[in-house]
């Protein structure tokens, strides 16, 4: 069965420190991997995606993610956290079934950046 | 260009009533998906429409239904509302399924059932 796991419900980090939000996946075939961010009472905003190519993907707001095929992981990272990065982060994987994308979302990780 | 537009933003309904939510995708996007988001269950996939046809369906009861119009706008309907239907309902559009592209989400409709 296809699945996405975000093992941490919450991540706390001090402003200026590096941050990592973890994501692992289990899918058959080649996955498309995504990170989204959600601010309170808003929809999800696209941060970055991995389709193919370079394992290190750079996205919006200084975020990046590294695709690790052997560990089936796609962790989100940022070298220096900002208080404004505090939000809910979702990892998602998409696979093709009958030529249609099917998305699977993780349960979300709440990132708290303290001043 | 305009983003994904969901209307209304907020809605309060009484148990037993029905409700219709609307989603207008980004111009040129032909695929529309619906999700239910609750604190306890996270993001739950409801259904996906492409070219006015339902292509994927999640594990929700038949009280939840949807449709897509020829201009790609989509509506979802929930009949006989229950308290547990209170949630943020998110619509997402993409160019077309199968292209590896991501979703663009609307801001959602916050439904409260009392």
């Amino acid at each position: 069965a296809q699945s996405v796991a975000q093992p941490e419900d919450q991540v706390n980090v001090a402003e200026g420190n590096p941050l990592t939000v973890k994501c692992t996946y289990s899918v058959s075939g080649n996955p498309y991997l995504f990170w989204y961010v959600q601010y309170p009472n808003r929809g999800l905003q696209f941060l970055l995606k991995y389709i193919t190519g370079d394992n290190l993907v750079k996205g919006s707001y200084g975020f990046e993610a590294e695709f690790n095929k052997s560990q089936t992981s796609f962790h989100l990272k940022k070298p220096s956290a900002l208080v404004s990065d505090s939000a809910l982060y979702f990892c998602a994987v998409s696979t093709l079934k009958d030529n249609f994308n099917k998305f699977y979302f993780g349960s979300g990780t709440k990132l708290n950046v303290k001043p | 260009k305009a983003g994904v537009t969901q209307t209304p933003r907020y809605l309060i309904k009484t148990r037993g009533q029905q409700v219709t939510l609307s989603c207008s995708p980004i111009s040129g996007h032909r695929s529309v998906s619906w999700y239910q988001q609750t604190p306890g269950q996270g993001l739950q996939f409801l259904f996906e429409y492409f070219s006015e046809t339902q292509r994927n369906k999640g594990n929700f009861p038949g009280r939840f239904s949807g449709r897509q119009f020829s201009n790609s706008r989509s509506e979802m309907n929930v009949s006989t509302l229950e308290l547990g239907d209170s949630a943020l309902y998110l619509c997402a559009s993409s160019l077309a399924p199968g292209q590896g592209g991501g979703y663009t989400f609307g801001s959602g409709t916050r439904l409260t059932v009392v």
Side-chain angles (χ1 to χ4, degrees):
Chain A
Q2 328 281 27
S3 66
V4 179
Q6 291 181 245
E8 300 153 317
D9 289 336
Q10 187 166 299
V11 169
N12 298 313
V13 64
E15 188 175 30
N17 282 1
L19 69 88
T20 298
V21 183
K22 295 179 180 178
C23 172
T24 59
Y25 64 91
S26 173
V27 299
S28 54
N30 293 320
Y32 302 144
L33 296 157
F34 303 83
W35 276 101
Y36 290 86
V37 59
Q38 185 180 34
Y39 298 99
N41 292 315
R42 305 293 296 178
L44 278 65
Q45 295 179 31
F46 171 81
L47 274 179
L48 51 80
K49 70 178 177 182
Y50 172 82
I51 304 297
T52 186
D54 194 349
N55 290 343
L56 185 63
V57 179
K58 294 188 184 297
S60 308
Y61 312 120
F63 284 94
E64 58 188 30
E66 186 167 11
F67 171 63
N68 187 317
K69 188 172 183 178
S70 62
Q71 296 185 6
T72 60
S73 67
F74 191 57
H75 301 332
L76 181 70
K77 299 182 180 184
K78 188 173 182 180
S80 179
L82 300 172
V83 172
S84 57
D85 293 331
S86 298
L88 187 57
Y89 290 80
F90 288 93
C91 178
V93 62
S94 167
T95 60
L96 279 178
K97 180 182 178 185
D98 300 326
N99 209 34
F100 284 93
N101 281 349
K102 193 164 174 63
F103 275 82
Y104 302 88
F105 282 88
S107 54
T109 298
K110 186 177 180 184
L111 174 66
N112 294 316
V113 182
K114 300 186 188 302
Chain B
K1 56 184 176 181
V4 178
T5 303
Q6 290 189 247
T7 56
R9 284 297 311 276
Y10 301 94
L11 208 48
I12 299 176
K13 289 287 188 179
T14 303
R15 207 168 25 167
Q17 287 186 311
Q18 76 164 12
V19 67
T20 299
L21 312 182
S22 178
C23 173
S24 293
I26 288 176
S27 178
H29 283 195
R30 296 170 60 199
S31 175
V32 174
S33 298
W34 289 90
Y35 287 82
Q36 182 195 66
Q37 186 179 21
T38 58
Q41 297 295 319
L43 277 168
Q44 302 286 313
F45 173 72
L46 281 155
F47 23 66
E48 178 181 19
Y49 287 88
F50 177 71
S51 293
E52 302 176 64
T53 302
Q54 188 179 90
R55 301 292 178 168
N56 275 311
K57 188 177 188 305
N59 297 323
F60 277 81
R63 301 186 296 108
F64 291 81
S65 62
R67 58 178 175 169
Q68 186 181 34
F69 302 95
S70 58
N71 61 358
S72 295
R73 190 177 72 85
S74 177
E75 289 181 348
M76 67 163 281
N77 184 76
V78 188
S79 62
T80 320
L81 283 166
E82 300 177 359
L83 296 179
D85 297 332
S86 295
L88 181 67
Y89 289 87
L90 293 167
C91 165
S93 74
S94 61
L95 278 168
Q99 293 186 358
Y103 285 143
T104 301
F105 282 84
S107 295
T109 294
R110 172 75 63 184
L111 171 65
T112 302
V113 182
V114 297

